[in-house]
Amino acid sequence: MRGPVDAARDRTLRRLDERLGYADMARTALGKVFPDHWSFMLGEIALYCFVVLVATGTFLAIFFDPSSSLKVYDGSYQPLHGEDVSSAFASTVQLSWDVRGGLLMRQVHHWAALIFIAAITLHLCRIFFTGMFRKPRELNWTVGLTLFVAAIFTSFAGYSLPDDLLSGTGLHIFYSTLEAVPFVGGWLAYLVFGAGFPGPYIIGRLYILHVFVVPVAIAGLIGIHLAVLIRQKHSHFAGPGHRDSNVVGSRMWPSYALRSLSLFSVVAAVCFLMGGLVQINPVWVWGEFKSSTIMSPSVADWYIAWVEGALRMFPPVELHFWGFTIPDQFWPAVLLPGLTFAVLYLWPFIDRRLTGDRGTHHIAAGPMSSPRRFAIGVWAIGFYSILLLAAGEELIVQLSGATIETVRDTLRVCVLVLPVVAALLAHRAASNHVRREAAEQQEESDETERELTESPLWIRWGPQDEDEEHDEDDVGDAESQQDEEPSTDQSVRG
């Protein structure tokens, strides 16, 4: 039975709708259709990891002291008791040992960052292999790629904050990389660090970038990414009833919303399980950063380790001209990452130039539908995977017993040969796949044409035979299937 409260609520909502028109917006949003394929969940996994990162990062920011000034450690970790260490390192150890739940939050934050970048990487791979960077999604490819760069940078900044031995080693490599930029490297390194390495300012500057500037930028990029996606409508894979003009899948409310909420719960649960059960980055074991105590082996997080692997693999080549020097770090640490991301940003236009395809695509292509794109993607995965492996060459030496020279020379041969071999095999497999599909389509077309030729309608006289009755039954089944077709969004934009 409706009471005065219900009537007042309805009246208020009606007046708001008359002024804001929110009912139509809500009806459109809740009726939006999302594809059901699992790979479309990768972007959502990244989004939910970002939520976990913001929540745990807020907790950590309460206790962390982003200062390089020295203080006497007086926390619970006895081996450090009474030693002069930086405030950043002391607060990180105290957060891990003396703050209730602090170690759990630190580790959840670290694992969530790794999963966050992994999900974005896999999401970008899906977009690349299915050709969904093509028109009209060039803008969203650029936004997603910028989001990827921002995620790598803020993760590296957070990794560098504790001022422990590993983070200091990473910052030392970063400083050397900036110095390796031709002509302006020294000025650039001084501008970023504010002094020679390590200097008293870099931790405070990275802290502001890590907790405020870059996360706000990431939130803005996520908003733009979603707005463009909604405006252009979702892509989907080929299948029965799937067309460029529709989206086949589940509506936002209630099925997709409940599924997405479940995914968020799973992502959060995995992050907390990893943080609670799998130790990561125990900074009290490494100790405070001192250049003289860099340990071996030391490996950066995976999303930046491929640059370290390139630094180890590339031969020492320096160029000297007109009084300037291009140091050997320039090629693997500046030129290679710069070329990598330049090619990625330009890839939609490179692909258009190579294929001549200027059409609009809303149905995702099969990964092997384009042999050239498939081969290039396989080459890139192989090449950067071997660079990533090279970052842990000292671990390989420990496990294999081989000398460091043998391991390094072997990896140098592998990084030049294996990706090319893999790309050639991938191109051949994709070409066979394309030919096989074309043959099957041609066979189906010939079969249809033969049936029409052998049973011309104009010679059918008298009552229908048994086959024709089956045809009618088939039509009836098809219509009933069409009635049971999943939800489709018939709106087409762009």
Side-chain angles (χ1 to χ4, degrees):
M1 183 176 180
R2 294 175 58 82
V5 175
D6 297 327
R9 181 199 59 196
D10 293 346
R11 189 165 52 251
T12 303
L13 292 176
R14 187 172 59 254
R15 288 174 177 173
L16 284 174
D17 183 43
E18 289 172 356
R19 287 158 178 79
L20 302 176
Y22 69 87
D24 289 339
M25 289 190 295
R27 190 178 298 112
T28 302
L30 295 177
K32 186 168 180 58
V33 176
F34 291 81
D36 290 327
H37 197 274
W38 63 269
S39 64
F40 288 91
M41 294 286 185
L42 292 170
E44 288 185 55
I45 292 175
L47 175 63
Y48 297 145
C49 283
F50 181 67
V51 174
V52 174
L53 284 168
V54 170
T56 53
T58 302
F59 177 90
L60 298 176
I62 297 172
F63 300 98
F64 180 69
D65 183 1
S67 172
S68 300
S69 60
L70 295 178
K71 66 176 290 187
V72 177
Y73 178 78
D74 57 357
S76 301
Y77 185 61
Q78 289 302 317
L80 279 179
H81 208 267
E83 289 195 18
D84 288 336
V85 295
S86 70
S87 299
F89 182 70
S91 64
T92 304
V93 176
Q94 287 179 324
L95 201 156
S96 304
W97 283 78
D98 300 312
V99 175
R100 190 182 297 274
L103 179 59
L104 174 65
M105 288 296 181
R106 265 199 63 228
Q107 300 203 144
V108 170
H109 195 73
H110 203 137
W111 279 117
L114 297 181
I115 300 173
F116 177 52
I117 302 179
I120 296 176
T121 305
L122 293 175
H123 185 63
L124 284 172
C125 286
R126 180 186 71 79
I127 299 295
F128 176 86
F129 281 107
T130 59
M132 282 296 95
F133 52 80
R134 295 174 296 177
K135 185 181 178 182
R137 293 181 172 79
E138 302 97 327
L139 175 60
N140 235 4
W141 169 264
T142 304
V143 172
L145 202 54
T146 307
L147 185 60
F148 182 51
V149 174
I152 290 176
F153 177 78
T154 194
S155 297
F156 174 73
Y159 173 84
S160 303
L161 289 179
D163 199 26
D164 64 295
L165 193 55
L166 276 181
S167 66
T169 304
L171 278 177
H172 203 173
I173 296 173
F174 181 49
Y175 185 86
S176 301
T177 301
L178 291 176
E179 281 193 314
V181 176
F183 311 119
V184 297
W187 296 334
L188 187 61
Y190 187 83
L191 178 67
V192 173
F193 282 75
F197 179 80
Y201 308 115
I202 187 62
I203 291 180
R205 293 178 178 183
L206 288 177
Y207 180 73
I208 295 299
L209 291 171
H210 178 68
V211 304
F212 181 69
V213 178
V214 183
V216 170
I218 289 177
L221 289 168
I222 291 174
I224 294 172
H225 191 70
L226 294 176
V228 173
L229 185 148
I230 292 171
R231 177 63 181 167
Q232 291 181 336
K233 92 179 185 62
H234 227 300
S235 62
H236 57 173
F237 283 101
H242 296 215
R243 303 184 301 275
D244 274 334
S245 59
N246 69 353
V247 179
V248 178
S250 303
R251 293 196 182 279
M252 165 66 90
W253 185 260
S255 56
Y256 196 84
L258 295 176
R259 187 189 309 166
S260 189
L261 185 61
S262 302
L263 181 63
F264 171 64
S265 303
V266 170
V267 170
V270 169
C271 290
F272 273 85
L273 278 174
M274 297 287 284
L277 300 177
V278 185
Q279 187 180 64
I280 188 169
N281 201 19
V283 295
W284 58 90
V285 175
W286 319 139
E288 188 188 23
F289 173 70
K290 294 176 183 173
S291 300
S292 59
T293 58
I294 293 177
M295 61 184 182
S296 177
S298 61
V299 182
D301 280 345
W302 72 269
Y303 51 83
I304 201 72
W306 62 275
V307 178
E308 184 179 338
L311 278 166
R312 293 168 183 258
M313 302 275 284
F314 203 85
V317 177
E318 286 189 353
L319 291 184
H320 305 275
F321 58 94
W322 298 334
F324 290 98
T325 299
I326 297 182
D328 52 3
Q329 298 98 326
F330 168 75
W331 315 106
V334 179
L335 184 62
L336 177 62
L339 281 177
T340 299
F341 285 101
V343 169
L344 285 173
Y345 273 110
L346 294 174
W347 184 254
F349 311 103
I350 295 173
D351 184 84
R352 184 186 307 171
R353 182 77 176 179
L354 292 175
T355 63
D357 183 357
R358 299 179 181 275
T360 299
H361 301 274
H362 293 294
I363 295 181
M368 300 177 75
S369 61
S370 170
R372 179 163 45 195
R373 186 168 63 231
F374 187 61
I376 292 174
V378 169
W379 174 88
I381 291 175
F383 180 75
Y384 291 101
S385 297
I386 295 176
L387 290 184
L388 184 62
L389 186 65
E393 63 177 7
E394 290 150 338
L395 285 173
I396 300 174
V397 169
Q398 287 186 357
L399 294 174
S400 65
T403 63
I404 187 75
E405 291 79 11
T406 302
V407 171
R408 186 165 297 176
D409 290 343
T410 303
L411 288 172
R412 282 172 175 166
V413 173
C414 289
V415 79
L416 294 175
V417 175
L418 291 185
V420 175
V421 173
L424 292 174
L425 293 175
H427 190 277
R428 182 170 184 176
S431 298
N432 291 336
H433 174 78
V434 170
R435 280 194 291 269
R436 190 164 54 249
E437 282 204 332
E440 290 175 357
Q441 290 177 358
Q442 183 63 41
E443 187 177 347
E444 290 178 2
S445 176
D446 293 344
E447 184 68 23
T448 303
E449 186 177 354
R450 186 161 50 247
E451 288 177 355
L452 291 174
T453 304
E454 291 175 351
S455 303
L457 295 176
W458 58 272
I459 64 172
R460 296 187 181 182
W461 297 90
Q464 294 179 336
D465 57 22
E466 187 176 352
D467 291 337
E468 289 174 327
E469 290 175 2
H470 284 308
D471 291 341
E472 288 181 347
D473 291 340
D474 291 342
V475 171
D477 290 339
E479 289 174 349
S480 73
Q481 288 173 6
Q482 191 172 14
D483 292 336
E484 297 172 359
E485 189 179 26
S487 306
T488 59
D489 184 2
Q490 300 294 341
S491 62
V492 183
R493 301 186 179 97

